[in-house]
Amino acid sequence: MDSSSVKHQHYFEPNREITPQSKKPKLSPVLVAVLILTCVALLITAVLTISIGVGISTTQQQQVSGLQNVFVSNNKLEGEYYGAQGGIHFQSTVNGTHFYYIVSTADGELIIMMVHLRESPMIMMEMNSTAFLLMKNKQGPNDEYVIPESNIDTMESIMMGYENMTTEMLEKMDNKTVAKKSHDSLKNLSMSPQAKLIIEAALALGNTGIKGEDSQAVMRFYVFALKLSNAKASVETVPTMPSHSSKSSNLRQRRTVNCPANGAQCGAGQCPYQKYTNACFGMCGADCFCWSFVCGDCCVHNFCETHDECCAQVGFFTFTCFSVAFEIFWSNCYDIFTC
């Protein structure tokens, strides 16, 4: 608390001569007592004010930790999450015409946005101030472009169905440097503090008991957070998980106990297995950390198994590994997709 120094001013009457014999006026005992009591009261008030202020500050800090203002339905997930490294606002929506996935910082700065017009082969993805256009091919790899900054607003209108894509617009797209820019953008996003908040938010939501099968929108949120976790773990020598995730993540030792070689717990041929550098290949989770709330258990599921195979082939920091094109929007745990 800042304290103000009190300046003592002496006022002298004009034409008054001060001599050594001049006597200072004496304060009465009653007035002295009143002054002392007043000072004590002010001191107590100040201490209480500081204590109350600290208490309010602590309470406010406690109130904004974890999940806040979460809304869940089959088609929509929206909420906020606050952790040690800040806060995020997230929204995942799946409806008859569009898929949206938008995450921003608590103060409104865009982190990641994906939008897909359901009847269109195009997907727009924006992150780290770079926008990409992904076009689904029926055969072969997807076409990828960097959207020039001057055309981002137009592209958003096209994705919302307000305008039509033209050949002239497509010709303005950059398909020469897209591989490097997409790799850098995905890696920077995956290793960022904001990605950690997205992962923590998914784990916290899973800890509430909400499963991916309960909501299409929640499933989409879980899957993308899981992809960030996998990509992050791919460059970390020892993958780490937030401490509060203990309810929803199983270490390899526990996975081995729950899924013996004979497949008694997971069914024949459904136990995670060793392949490439992955000790728990096919399980939904980074390394051997199981996100059981994604597909309901820690067994092998087609979606996670084909994802692991695809990422091992093309690398984690690619749109193919992230399977942004369609699969992340509409797939379930039992679907198989190809790179």
Side-chain angles (χ1 to χ4, degrees):
M1 179 182 71
D2 295 333
S3 59
S4 301
S5 58
V6 180
K7 296 182 179 179
H8 297 278
Q9 295 179 325
H10 298 274
Y11 295 93
F12 299 101
E13 295 179 4
N15 303 322
R16 179 182 176 185
E17 183 179 358
I18 301 177
T19 65
Q21 287 78 23
S22 297
K23 296 183 179 180
K24 296 180 181 180
K26 294 183 178 179
L27 298 176
S28 68
V30 175
L31 182 57
V32 171
V34 171
L35 289 173
I36 293 174
L37 290 174
T38 301
C39 291
V40 171
L42 289 173
L43 181 61
I44 293 173
T45 301
V47 171
L48 288 174
T49 301
I50 294 174
S51 300
I52 293 172
V54 171
I56 293 174
S57 176
T58 303
T59 301
Q60 290 174 341
Q61 188 175 14
Q62 291 174 348
Q63 288 176 343
V64 297
S65 62
L67 292 168
Q68 302 287 328
N69 305 317
V70 175
F71 171 83
V72 178
S73 69
N74 181 51
N75 297 325
K76 185 174 181 179
L77 166 68
E78 187 170 6
E80 300 169 3
Y81 177 81
Y82 295 88
Q85 295 179 299
I88 57 171
H89 178 271
F90 53 87
Q91 180 180 342
S92 174
T93 303
V94 183
N95 58 37
T97 59
H98 282 83
F99 168 83
Y100 305 95
Y101 180 94
I102 302 173
V103 182
S104 60
T105 62
D107 56 4
E109 183 180 351
L110 181 67
I111 299 172
I112 173 73
M113 179 197 73
M114 289 185 288
V115 57
H116 169 52
L117 183 61
R118 191 160 192 165
E119 301 301 324
S120 167
M122 299 182 298
I123 296 158
M124 181 178 176
M125 183 174 183
E126 186 174 355
M127 55 184 168
N128 299 321
S129 302
T130 305
F132 299 90
L133 173 66
L134 311 173
M135 296 192 70
K136 180 73 172 179
N137 285 329
K138 293 182 179 179
Q139 296 179 347
N142 300 318
D143 293 327
E144 301 174 358
Y145 303 88
V146 178
I147 303 172
E149 187 174 353
S150 58
N151 295 116
I152 291 178
D153 290 342
T154 304
M155 194 66 229
E156 288 181 352
S157 296
I158 293 173
M159 297 308 301
M160 295 303 296
Y162 301 142
E163 298 184 37
N164 295 322
M165 187 68 175
T166 64
T167 302
E168 181 184 3
M169 178 76 174
L170 190 61
E171 289 175 347
K172 294 180 180 179
M173 304 293 178
D174 170 18
N175 64 349
K176 304 297 183 185
T177 64
V178 63
K180 184 179 187 311
K181 289 184 177 179
S182 61
H183 175 277
D184 293 347
S185 293
L186 287 169
K187 185 172 183 179
N188 290 337
L189 173 64
S190 300
M191 304 308 295
S192 69
Q194 290 77 23
K196 186 176 181 182
L197 290 172
I198 295 173
I199 294 168
E200 288 180 1
L203 291 166
L205 191 63
N207 285 344
T208 66
I210 299 175
K211 298 179 181 179
E213 61 187 5
D214 297 333
S215 162
Q216 295 183 62
V218 170
M219 182 64 174
R220 306 287 81 81
F221 183 71
Y222 283 161
V223 167
F224 194 77
L226 181 57
K227 291 177 184 299
L228 289 174
S229 179
N230 287 332
K232 181 178 174 66
S234 71
V235 297
E236 294 179 337
T237 54
V238 180
T240 57
M241 301 295 284
S243 59
H244 70 265
S245 67
S246 58
K247 294 180 182 178
S248 57
S249 64
N250 300 318
L251 296 177
R252 184 183 176 189
Q253 181 179 1
R254 184 176 178 187
R255 188 272 307 171
T256 303
V257 171
N258 288 344
C259 195
N262 61 12
Q265 297 294 324
C266 286
Q270 288 190 321
C271 284
Y273 55 95
Q274 173 78 45
K275 190 172 183 179
Y276 305 117
T277 59
N278 189 345
C280 294
F281 198 89
M283 186 184 72
C284 293
D287 193 59
C288 285
F289 290 93
C290 173
W291 287 23
S292 59
F293 49 85
V294 175
C295 291
D297 55 43
C298 296
C299 304
V300 170
H301 289 271
N302 293 340
F303 183 84
C304 294
E305 188 174 26
T306 53
H307 167 267
D308 287 348
E309 182 66 40
C310 190
C311 294
Q313 293 179 14
V314 302
F316 281 91
F317 302 110
T318 62
F319 287 132
T320 303
C321 175
F322 269 74
S323 57
V324 171
F326 288 86
E327 283 82 7
I328 192 174
F329 303 143
W330 317 120
S331 294
N332 59 44
C333 292
Y334 306 98
D335 287 340
I336 298 176
F337 63 91
T338 57
C339 290

